[in-house]
Amino acid sequence: MKASILTFGCQMNEHDSQRMGSLLESIGYKVEPHSTEADVVVINTCSVREKPQERLTHVLNGLKNAKKKNPDMNIVVTGCVAQQKGREIIDEYPFVDAVIGPDAEDRLVEYLREARRSGPKVDVDQQDKFSYQDTLVLEDSVSTSHAYITVVKGCDSFCSYCIVPYVRGRERSRNIDEIVQDAQKLVSKGFSSITLLGQNIARFGKENNEDLPSLLRRVSDIKGLKRLSFLTSHPKDFSSEIIRCFEELDNLCPQLHLPAQHGSNKILKAMNRGYTREDYLKVIEELKRSRVWDKLCLTTDVIIGFPEEDEKDFADLMDLMEKAEFDNSYSFIYSARPGTVAHKKYGEEQDPANRKVFVDRLARYQERQKQIAFNKNKRLEGKVLELLVEGSSQKDPDKFSGRTSGGKVVNFSSKEKLFPGSYVMVKIVKAHPTHLSGEL
Ligand code: SAH
Ligand code: SF4
Ligand code: F3S
């Protein structure tokens, strides 16, 4: 029996897919990448922008015929679009067997059985508490040595453009003790690299009187854990204490994802981000003064073309990018999400003339970001860095790729066969805008 899982969206969805994959494995399925020939097809969806949301429609249209050919196939829609649309998905696509929201995905197996017995099943209930029974890992993923642990679910920040607080519900943290047990279990299974996840992880632990620095210290202490990282930190909740952790904890990777979203105070305010450009740059200044800066891989998210963004606002964003020297930016054009405050205030699509301006600004932003990243990567030329091997090239068995502790991808050759999950020392010989080349 074969199952396939197609995943859209963020790392949290990726992690949820891994959990669902291991549930399916536990009842005898072989889990593979998306296939229209599997016996169970799970589509784990994202609604953060219109584009990823539209993909669900394409995939379901493609599956309609597959299901006609194989009526025993089960199709399950999970994730954020499932949460948002619930039963509507079954009304529109009656061949879907189950619609399961992010808080109910651990019951996938039970719902598959119920759907086979008595027809389509919908569960989009949100839970008040966040506690897992156990860490689930896909057996296959052990070989890559890297695992995620979600430590805080949901989001209470309500940035005006964002659908996440509506589809992922209220912010809820797990207890540090529970997380540490989970992490210990993963490390004993062979995972040497762990990433802790939360939409705004800087607010981790609020309801339990715990906080992110305490969590980082406890997990970092686990014997055998070589790499610890965490995301995403909201600038309004980021603290100096987290910088101390970077300085003090040897296995805490020098990676910080600190989404700026914009560089103009007018736009930041309209986005309800809760900080000014000056606040953001103050954090950057503090990072620059700290011991971690030389190694730090700083990344960000930005939204271009938020309603009322003018050339002056855009210039402020470009200026912020210059000052922060990001290693990478995930940049997208604003997409109005029904139900959000910005959608209520500014409405649906923007006029096409404006859209052209925004597309042009996005290209300018990305071009400059590429140069900055290239310059930053050039500083690594000649350095010898430790890599976690991730895989080898399909075409050339001598070519491998791995990640630095900062998270940068390095391609290198080795005559000797290397296995994913091992650590090697590699000399960086050439920088590129998006990756590095090295020699073993
Ligand atoms: N919790 C994280 C990530 C949220 S979603 C954070 O606070 O940054 C990932 C990214 O998608 C966001 O950082 C934002 O840049 C982008 N995004 C969210 N809503 C969007 C929208 N309506 N239009 C365009 N981009 C959006
Ligand atoms: Fe969305 Fe803002 Fe929450 Fe991030 S912090 S998930 S952008 S509402
Ligand atoms: Fe998308 Fe949901 Fe993540 S909307 S970005 S999959 S939280």
Side-chain angles (χ1 to χ4, degrees):
M1 288 188 307
K2 284 190 293 190
S4 83
I5 305 182
L6 178 64
T7 310
F8 299 113
C10 59
Q11 286 90 349
M12 220 162 262
N13 256 18
E14 248 176 68
H15 174 54
D16 292 342
S17 289
Q18 287 169 356
R19 288 179 64 81
M20 288 191 280
S22 47
L23 288 172
L24 291 168
E25 257 181 3
S26 71
I27 54 164
Y29 283 91
K30 187 171 166 356
V31 181
E32 50 187 43
H34 185 56
S35 145
T36 51
E37 271 148 36
D39 304 288
V40 171
V41 177
V42 178
I43 312 148
N44 198 9
T45 59
C46 170
S47 49
V48 82
R49 282 172 294 273
E50 201 174 345
K51 268 234 178 80
Q53 176 158 346
E54 276 173 354
R55 293 211 186 120
L56 173 64
T57 318
H58 295 304
V59 177
L60 285 178
N61 286 333
L63 282 170
K64 200 170 169 175
N65 279 330
K67 177 112 178 187
K68 265 194 205 131
K69 269 192 243 155
N70 174 13
D72 289 337
M73 170 191 268
N74 290 124
I75 298 171
V76 183
V77 180
T78 60
C80 296
V81 184
Q83 183 66 39
Q84 211 177 352
K85 301 216 158 164
R87 185 159 292 279
E88 263 178 58
I89 296 179
I90 309 254
D91 294 342
E92 205 175 327
Y93 303 95
F95 55 91
V96 169
D97 296 280
V99 175
I100 308 175
D103 276 5
E105 287 164 2
D106 279 359
R107 301 174 76 176
L108 171 66
V109 169
E110 182 186 332
Y111 289 154
L112 267 175
R113 285 198 186 111
E114 274 183 41
R116 281 173 196 150
R117 241 188 349 250
S118 48
K121 178 82 206 164
V122 178
D123 183 349
V124 291
D125 290 346
Q126 289 184 329
Q127 311 296 322
D128 302 335
K129 276 223 154 6
F130 175 22
S131 174
Y132 280 149
Q133 302 293 309
D134 190 11
T135 306
L136 302 166
V137 285
L138 258 178
E139 290 309 321
D140 266 1
S141 63
V142 178
S143 67
T144 63
S145 287
H146 175 265
Y148 290 116
I149 302 180
T150 300
V151 300
V152 44
K153 268 192 184 181
C155 182
D156 286 352
S157 293
F158 289 94
C159 304
S160 66
Y161 50 81
C162 186
I163 196 74
V164 172
Y166 305 92
V167 286
R168 291 276 165 161
R170 299 290 50 78
E171 196 176 272
R172 291 143 289 160
S173 300
R174 296 172 77 193
N175 289 312
I176 291 185
D177 285 341
E178 193 186 304
I179 297 164
V180 170
Q181 276 175 22
D182 241 18
Q184 268 161 345
K185 209 180 285 172
L186 285 168
V187 173
S188 69
K189 279 190 171 171
F191 290 92
S192 60
S193 173
I194 290 179
T195 302
L196 307 176
L197 295 177
Q199 290 297 345
N200 176 8
I201 202 167
R203 274 180 57 83
F204 166 81
K206 286 279 179 289
E207 76 262 41
N208 306 324
N209 267 325
E210 296 181 330
D211 59 19
L212 180 64
S214 318
L215 173 67
L216 293 176
R217 292 202 158 92
R218 286 278 306 278
V219 179
S220 154
D221 246 4
I222 296 173
K223 265 212 163 49
L225 180 64
K226 280 191 58 104
R227 291 186 174 185
L228 172 62
S229 56
F230 63 94
L231 52 113
T232 295
S233 305
H234 194 308
K236 76 177 161 59
D237 300 301
F238 190 77
S239 69
S240 308
E241 211 29 50
I242 303 175
I243 302 183
R244 298 292 87 75
C245 289
F246 278 123
E247 293 186 319
E248 287 163 20
L249 307 176
D250 286 340
N251 56 359
L252 183 61
C253 294
Q255 296 178 21
L256 180 61
H257 187 55
L258 194 67
Q261 308 299 358
H262 215 279
S264 142
N265 281 337
K266 179 182 99 189
I267 302 294
L268 286 170
K269 189 153 186 245
M271 287 177 163
N272 190 34
R273 285 292 284 178
Y275 56 87
T276 61
R277 62 177 275 117
E278 291 76 21
D279 297 331
Y280 189 89
L281 289 171
K282 228 162 105 185
V283 175
I284 299 296
E285 279 311 311
E286 194 179 346
L287 284 165
K288 287 190 176 184
R289 283 195 307 271
S290 77
R291 269 183 284 130
V292 71
W293 181 255
D294 283 343
K295 289 183 288 176
L296 189 69
C297 186
L298 180 68
T299 54
T300 203
D301 292 348
V302 302
I303 299 177
I304 289 172
F306 193 74
E308 295 174 31
E309 178 191 274
D310 58 26
E311 206 48 43
K312 156 97 182 47
D313 300 314
F314 181 64
D316 281 346
L317 171 60
M318 293 296 278
D319 176 69
L320 182 119
M321 164 170 64
E322 291 299 330
K323 294 192 162 111
E325 300 173 74
F326 299 119
D327 290 86
N328 194 11
S329 293
Y330 299 89
S331 48
F332 293 95
I333 290 183
Y334 168 70
S335 164
R337 306 316 293 137
T340 60
V341 172
H343 182 265
K344 283 184 195 118
K345 186 160 169 204
Y346 304 106
E348 205 53 57
E349 270 320 303
Q350 325 204 13
D351 85 55
N354 272 349
R355 190 159 172 96
K356 254 191 91 206
V357 173
F358 298 148
V359 169
D360 174 62
R361 282 184 194 152
L362 180 68
R364 276 150 69 199
Y365 181 91
Q366 290 179 339
E367 185 51 37
R368 182 63 194 131
Q369 173 58 64
K370 216 162 112 185
Q371 291 165 351
I372 294 174
F374 193 18
N375 288 337
K376 267 192 119 170
N377 283 349
K378 276 187 196 151
R379 293 181 211 165
L380 296 174
E381 283 178 358
K383 294 217 156 96
V384 177
L385 302 175
E386 187 179 52
L387 301 188
L388 170 54
V389 179
E390 287 193 334
S392 52
S393 155
Q394 302 260 324
K395 283 178 277 168
D396 184 348
D398 289 348
K399 289 227 176 331
F400 294 87
S401 84
R403 249 172 230 277
T404 65
S405 62
K408 297 204 182 197
V409 174
V410 184
N411 297 328
F412 64 100
S413 331
S414 162
K415 289 279 171 238
E416 137 198 18
K417 185 159 170 49
L418 300 172
F419 293 94
S422 57
Y423 290 82
V424 291
M425 298 303 288
V426 164
K427 182 170 176 179
I428 306 302
V429 290
K430 194 162 171 35
H432 310 273
T434 53
H435 67 281
L436 303 154
S437 312
E439 277 168 4
L440 190 71

